[in-house]
Structures are given as C-alpha cells and as structure tokens.
C-alpha cells in the first residue's frame, strides 16, 4: 500500500514537471520578438510618348506588350494642318522662284503671265479660306466647334490674305520691271520660303513618333482615329533595364538602412525563396501625412515614414514592375 502511494506521488510529480516544462517552452516561444516584414515593390523607368503635331492617330506600329528598340517608329499621326502648310509652302516656293528668275533676267511676258496666274491662284485660295472661316465662326458661335479649331481656320485665312498681298506685289513688280532692290528682295523671298519649307519638313517628320529607348510597350492611350493635341500622351514605354525597388520604412527601423549598404529581398511572384541583393541608393522622408503612429501622449514623438530606394546588384530575370519584394527584419 505504501509503495502504491509512493508510485502515485512520483507520477504526479512527473506530470507536474512536464506541465511546467511545456509552459516554460510556450513562454519562451511566445516572448520571442515577432518577425517584421518590410514590404516594397518593383518599379521601372517609364517614358510617355507624345507628339508636337496635333492630329488623328493614323496607325500604331506596335501593340501593348511588344518589345521596341530606340528609334523605332511607334505611331503615325495624320495632320491635315501639316498637309495644308506643305501645299502653301510649295506654292510659295514656286512663286518665289518665279519672281527671282524674273529679277535676274528681267520681266518677260511669260513671267508677267506667271505672276498674274499666281496672283489669281492666291485670290482663289483667299476666297475659299474666307468662306471656311465664316462657316467656322458660325459653328463656333453655336458652340459646335472649339475656339482652338476656329483660331486655326482664322490663321489659315489670314495667311491666305497675306499670300494674296504678296502675289499682288510680285505681279506689280513684274509689270514695273526689275530694279537692284527688287533682285535683293527676290533673293530674300527665296531664302524665306526655303526656311518655311524646312519648318514644314520638320513638322511632317514629327508625324512619326519614335521610341526614346529600348523597352516594352506598356499602354496605348487613344485609339486609332481619335484626335490628339500637341503634347498629349499617346503611349507608354517601360525600360525593363532600368528597375529599382521602393520601400516605406518606419523611422524606428531606419537605422538598419544606410546609403550604399546591401539588403537581401525575396520576391514571392517569382515563385522561389531566392534572396536577391540590392544596393541602397536613396533615402528620403515622405510627407507629413505618412506618420505611422503618434507617441506624444507618452512624451515621445511621431514615427515618420521614409522612402528607401534600392537597385539590384545583378539583373533579376522575369522581374516586372509592381512585383512585391520583402525584407525580413528579425
């Protein structure tokens, strides 16, 4: 009987000791500091492609997701304004060359006739632009067209009026004969028209938008046929060779981030636990709105948030902008 009591007591002590050990182990694990993950995301240099010439999207030569090289033609813009300026410039060149030829060789009957025909052609153009402007003015007063469109037509009309005056002047000169001053003026007119032609050629070249870098087409904004204004973004190109990571780091955790140091991150989207080394290249305080918590009630301070930028030491295959990156803080 005595031995039975001693055995029961021993078993009780062993059970109690086991409970104490279990509680102690639970306490040890429970009191360990919780692992803190600092989360960031991958970003890449992005270029907005826009044009200097207003018009309509005539065609896209690349679609979203396609790779492009620097200098590739991406978009073609149809601009009736550029076409109209080209026609005007060519007509002005013909007129200037005719006037210059007359000034060099004297006014012949053929030249006088040519100047007169150019004058009549300019008058016909003025009548057309006059009617177009009157029609556009009525539409503008009714709110059908924008002020910009009305102003464009008005500018064309004024240009046509100026062309008529110039053509009339050249015709009068042809009738009066050539003087030394007339020769100089004719040569200056040719030089002026050459400048206009260069300007038109530059505007015509601006109808074809080129890629500013090697990259990938990430987004197309307007559709084919839609109007685009000067400087309006048309497509976006992402340079996947220029990538970095940004992390929002609390001020009380910032001591582990030093400019030039290396941190290791994991990228869940790549489907492995590989750690990728990054170099810290930029640390900047975020706005006052980025405050994690206020400790002023305890006599402390507000914990600010800092923007930490890191760049990969080596290229990371299959990395895409927007992918999450994690830094484990023990």
């Amino acid at each position: 009987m005595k031995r039975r009591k001693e055995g029961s007591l021993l078993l009780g002590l062993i059970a109690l000791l086991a409970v104490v050990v279990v509680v102690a182990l639970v306490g040890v694990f429970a009191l360990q500091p919780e692992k803190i993950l600092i989360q960031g995301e991958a970003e890449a240099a992005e270029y907005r492609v826009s044009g200097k010439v207003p018009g309509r999207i005539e065609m896209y030569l690349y679609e979203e997701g396609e790779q492009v090289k620097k200098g590739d033609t991406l978009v073609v813009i149809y601009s009736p304004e550029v076409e109209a300026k080209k026609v005007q410039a060519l007509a002005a060149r013909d007129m200037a060359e005719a006037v210059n030829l007359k000034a060099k060789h004297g006014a012949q009957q053929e030249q006088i006739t040519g100047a007169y025909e150019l004058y009549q052609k300019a008058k016909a153009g003025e009548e057309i632009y006059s009617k177009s402007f009157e029609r556009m003015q009525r539409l503008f007063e009714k709110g059908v067209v924008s002020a910009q469109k009305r102003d464009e037509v008005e500018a064309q009309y004024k240009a046509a009026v100026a062309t008529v005056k110039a053509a009339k002047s050249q015709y009068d000169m042809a009738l009066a004969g050539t003087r030394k001053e007339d020769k100089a003026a004719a040569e200056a007119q040719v030089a002026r028209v050459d400048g206009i032609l260069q300007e038109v050629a530059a505007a015509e070249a601006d109808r074809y938008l080129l890629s500013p870098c090697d990259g990938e087409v990430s987004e197309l904004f307007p559709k084919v046929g839609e109007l685009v204004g000067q400087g309006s973004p048309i497509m976006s190109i992402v340079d996947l060779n220029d990538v970095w990571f940004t992390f929002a780091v609390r001020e009380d955790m910032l001591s582990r981030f030093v400019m030039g140091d290396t941190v290791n991150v994991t990228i869940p989207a790549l489907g492995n636990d590989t750690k990728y080394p990054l170099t810290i290249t930029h640390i900047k305080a975020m706005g006052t709105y980025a405050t994690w918590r206020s400790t002023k009630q305890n006599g402390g301070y507000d914990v600010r948030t800092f923007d930490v930028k890191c760049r990969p030491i080596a290229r990371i295959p299959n990395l895409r902008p927007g992918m999450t990156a994690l830094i484990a803080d023990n």
Side-chain angles (χ1 to χ4, degrees), residues 34-302:
E34 182 182 357
K35 179 184 289 188
I36 299 176
L37 289 178
I38 300 176
Q39 179 176 326
E41 68 173 309
E43 298 184 22
E46 185 176 4
Y47 297 86
R48 295 291 183 93
V49 178
S50 58
K52 294 189 294 183
V53 175
R56 294 184 182 274
I57 301 296
E58 185 171 336
M59 70 173 67
Y60 284 110
L61 301 181
Y62 291 89
E63 298 296 331
E64 293 179 352
E66 292 187 324
Q67 300 296 317
V68 298
K69 295 292 185 180
K70 182 176 181 179
D72 286 348
T73 301
L74 304 175
V75 188
V76 179
I77 298 177
Y78 171 69
S79 177
E81 289 79 10
V82 172
E83 296 296 330
K85 288 180 180 179
K86 183 178 180 180
V87 172
Q88 292 176 7
L90 291 174
R93 183 188 63 181
D94 293 341
M95 182 176 66
E97 289 179 347
V99 172
N100 189 43
L101 183 63
K102 182 202 70 173
K104 288 181 178 180
H105 302 289
Q108 299 179 1
Q109 184 59 43
E110 294 83 358
Q111 294 171 329
I112 295 175
T113 302
Y116 176 76
E117 290 177 351
L118 289 173
Y119 172 49
Q120 296 301 314
K121 180 180 179 180
K123 287 177 63 177
E126 178 191 11
E127 292 178 2
I128 293 174
Y129 280 114
S130 175
K131 294 178 181 178
S132 297
F133 174 66
E134 291 175 359
R135 183 168 57 254
M136 191 62 64
Q137 179 65 28
R138 289 194 297 270
L139 293 175
F140 170 74
E141 291 173 354
K142 295 179 180 179
V144 177
V145 299
S146 64
Q148 178 182 355
K149 194 65 179 178
R150 189 274 311 270
D151 293 341
E152 291 174 357
V153 176
E154 183 180 10
Q156 294 174 349
Y157 169 60
K158 291 181 178 179
V161 172
T163 302
V164 170
K165 292 181 180 179
K168 178 64 165 61
S169 175
Q170 299 303 327
Y171 175 61
D172 292 341
M173 288 174 59
L175 292 175
T178 306
R179 298 183 303 173
K180 182 178 180 180
E181 296 81 359
D182 296 334
K183 293 181 179 181
E187 292 175 354
Q189 181 70 8
V190 171
R192 175 178 175 274
V193 172
D194 287 341
I196 295 175
L197 285 172
Q198 292 177 5
E199 182 180 353
V200 171
E204 194 169 27
D206 287 335
R207 293 177 51 231
Y208 302 88
L209 306 187
L210 309 181
S211 175
C213 66
D214 294 350
E216 180 181 298
V217 178
S218 62
E219 190 173 2
L220 305 179
F221 299 114
K223 294 181 175 60
V224 173
E226 288 186 347
L227 284 170
V228 291
Q230 183 178 9
S232 300
I234 295 175
M235 68 166 28
S236 178
I237 306 294
V238 175
D239 185 358
L240 297 178
N241 294 318
D242 186 9
V243 297
W244 63 89
F245 293 84
T246 56
F247 300 90
V249 181
R250 286 203 327 244
E251 187 175 0
D252 54 352
M253 301 171 60
L254 193 64
S255 59
R256 64 173 297 186
F257 294 90
V258 179
M259 288 286 293
D261 280 3
T262 301
V263 295
N264 295 312
V265 301
T266 57
I267 304 175
L270 297 183
N272 55 56
D273 296 328
T274 303
K275 292 187 177 180
Y276 301 95
L278 311 177
T279 300
I280 300 173
T281 59
H282 180 74
I283 300 175
K284 179 183 178 182
M286 298 178 69
T288 55
Y289 59 86
T291 301
W292 281 74
R293 66 174 184 269
S294 175
T295 59
K296 290 182 179 179
Q297 295 178 353
N298 300 325
Y301 59 93
D302 290 342

